Amino acid sequence: MAGLKQMSQTTARRHEGDRTALAILVIASLVVISAVAFLFSITTGASNASVIDLIADMVSGSAESTLSIRDRIVIFDIRLPRAVLGFLIGGGLAVSGAVMQGLFRNPLADPGLIGVSAGSSLGAVAMIVLGGGVLAPVAHLLGIFALPVAAFIGGLATTILLYKVATRYGQTSIATMLLAGIALGSLALAATGILIYMADDRQLRDLTFWSMGSLAGSTWSKVAGAGPIIVLSLLPLPFMARGLNALTLGEAAAFHMGISVQRLKNIAIVCVAAAVGASVAVSGGIGFVGIVVPHILRMVIGPDHRFLLPASALLGGSLLVVADVVARTIVSPAELPIGILTAGVGGPFFLWMLLRQRSRLSL
């Protein structure tokens, strides 16, 4: 036991070095960046309101508002819920990616790449298409939470199947995980295609834009439906940092260090499925956030999950908010689906990561 603890401390020192102070500085900087990204998002667009006007309006109150009625509606009823939802989704996807990479001990693990997002999409599409028929009682019972819950169930089922297939004799095979994720993702996409074939014209139009990934149509009701699920699923994750750090030494070593490995896995899987499911339900497929953000941060602040998880939440949220601004302004007055933008940037990044890791993974 003492030897394992000493090994853990040595590993932590080797990984962290002098990065603890740097990690704290990066997190503090990301808090400021997040605030700037929020202001940038809600003041960029057709409205003439500036940051100064917005701050003056918030300070003075509605009685002495410096904003027109139109600007207030645009900012507080359209852009602000969109920014809030974008930040929650970006943070949720980034933290989910960091947790899965720590859980599987591989930087290529990501909810989108291993089929979890496809499973969540299947659950969401099933609720959209069948919510007025077979699943009508469930949709009526759950109300605004129907879509996030359906996506959560789809993501959870896919994650559990993936883990069962990839794990043998208590050891998780990374190659098997990636291949099984591709297979399960393909099955989920096939089932999703069948449901889309059954959809009517209105549902088909909605599903087409939803599948590309977008924050268009974000409302406070969507924030109320998906936000609590994402937040509640992320709250337990910082308390898993010690366990995820111990897993870098292997499951046996983590167990002998007093970590309940199986319980850690179960809680992590449920939390990731909930966060990804709720995100996919309201935004559609937004890929590569969960793999790009944690990898960038690992190169800067190291692999310590005590700092990696909160930093991933802040950077992931900020990046998605800024990406959404770019997506809705780059082809103005039209709007580019944000999933296309993240795929265009994340795809080359993933290929670069794969080339860096292939000798280590023997792929």
Side-chain angles (χ1 to χ4, degrees), residues 31 62 239 306:
V31 171
S62 58
F239 299 99
R306 294 176 301 168

Side-chain angles (χ1 to χ4, degrees), residues 336-351:
L336 184 71
I338 194 172
I340 296 176
L341 186 64
T342 58
V345 175
F349 187 88
F350 174 71
L351 287 175

Side-chain angles (χ1 to χ4, degrees), residues 150-164:
F152 161 67
I153 293 173
L156 179 62
T158 305
T159 306
I160 292 174
L161 280 173
L162 174 68
Y163 181 75
K164 293 294 184 182

Side-chain angles (χ1 to χ4, degrees), residues 33-80:
I33 291 173
S34 299
V36 173
F38 250 90
L39 289 174
F40 177 62
S41 175
I42 62 180
T43 56
T44 301
S47 172
N48 294 323
S50 65
V51 175
I52 296 176
D53 293 333
L54 177 62
I55 295 175
D57 179 82
M58 296 174 65
V59 172
S60 63
S62 58
E64 301 178 7
S65 177
T66 58
L67 298 177
S68 67
I69 296 176
R70 172 181 174 274
D71 287 343
R72 288 183 62 84
I73 292 174
V74 169
I75 290 175
F76 294 106
D77 294 336
I78 298 177
R79 292 183 187 165
L80 186 57

Side-chain angles (χ1 to χ4, degrees), residues 1-343:
M1 178 71 72
L4 287 173
K5 289 184 177 180
Q6 184 178 1
M7 187 189 304
S8 175
Q9 293 171 356
T10 302
T11 302
R13 285 195 298 268
R14 185 176 68 250
H15 284 326
E16 290 180 18
D18 295 327
R19 293 190 185 183
T20 299
L22 175 62
I24 295 173
L25 178 61
V26 168
I27 291 174
S29 301
L30 287 173
V31 171
V32 177
I33 291 173
S34 299
V36 173
F38 250 90
L39 289 174
F40 177 62
S41 175
I42 62 180
T43 56
T44 301
S47 172
N48 294 323
S50 65
V51 175
I52 296 176
D53 293 333
L54 177 62
I55 295 175
D57 179 82
M58 296 174 65
V59 172
S60 63
S62 58
E64 301 178 7
S65 177
T66 58
L67 298 177
S68 67
I69 296 176
R70 172 181 174 274
D71 287 343
R72 288 183 62 84
I73 292 174
V74 169
I75 290 175
F76 294 106
D77 294 336
I78 298 177
R79 292 183 187 165
L80 186 57
R82 184 166 179 154
V84 171
L85 198 59
F87 190 86
L88 289 173
I89 291 172
L93 293 176
V95 174
S96 297
V99 170
M100 294 204 74
Q101 290 163 19
L103 199 62
F104 289 108
R105 301 187 295 282
N106 187 274
L108 301 182
D110 169 73
L113 294 172
I114 60 178
V116 179
S117 295
S120 298
S121 297
L122 174 60
V125 170
M127 182 58 67
I128 292 173
V129 176
L130 304 177
V134 178
L135 299 180
V138 178
H140 179 73
L141 176 65
L142 296 177
I144 62 174
F145 294 99
L147 204 59
V149 169
F152 161 67
I153 293 173
L156 179 62
T158 305
T159 306
I160 292 174
L161 280 173
L162 174 68
Y163 181 75
K164 293 294 184 182
V165 171
T167 302
R168 187 179 183 186
Y169 304 124
Q171 298 295 321
T172 301
S173 169
I174 301 304
T176 303
M177 177 197 70
L178 293 174
L179 294 173
I182 294 172
L184 291 174
S186 298
L187 289 173
L189 289 175
T192 301
I194 294 173
L195 289 170
I196 292 176
Y197 180 79
M198 298 167 54
D200 57 33
D201 290 340
R202 180 186 60 81
Q203 292 171 338
L204 187 60
R205 184 171 57 255
D206 293 341
L207 288 170
T208 299
F209 288 101
W210 174 83
S211 63
M212 296 180 187
S214 176
L215 296 176
S218 298
T219 61
W220 287 116
S221 63
K222 286 187 177 182
V223 174
I229 296 177
I230 297 174
V231 172
L232 289 175
S233 65
L234 296 184
L235 286 179
L237 296 180
F239 299 99
M240 302 181 191
R242 175 174 172 267
L244 291 172
N245 286 342
L247 277 177
T248 59
L249 301 174
E251 294 186 9
F255 175 78
H256 288 295
M257 291 171 61
I259 303 298
S260 179
V261 176
Q262 194 58 47
R263 185 175 65 179
L264 174 67
K265 292 178 181 178
N266 293 339
I267 296 175
I269 286 172
V270 171
C271 290
V272 167
V276 174
S279 300
V280 168
V282 293
S283 68
I286 299 178
F288 294 102
V289 175
I291 192 171
V292 171
V293 171
H295 191 77
I296 291 174
L297 289 171
R298 278 193 180 90
M299 291 190 295
V300 177
I301 65 175
D304 192 337
H305 289 83
R306 294 176 301 168
F307 308 115
L308 183 63
L309 295 180
S312 294
L314 292 169
L315 181 58
S318 301
L319 281 181
L320 198 61
V321 168
V322 173
D324 179 56
V325 175
V326 174
R328 60 183 168 87
T329 57
I330 192 172
V331 291
S332 180
E335 181 174 321
L336 184 71
I338 194 172
I340 296 176
L341 186 64
T342 58

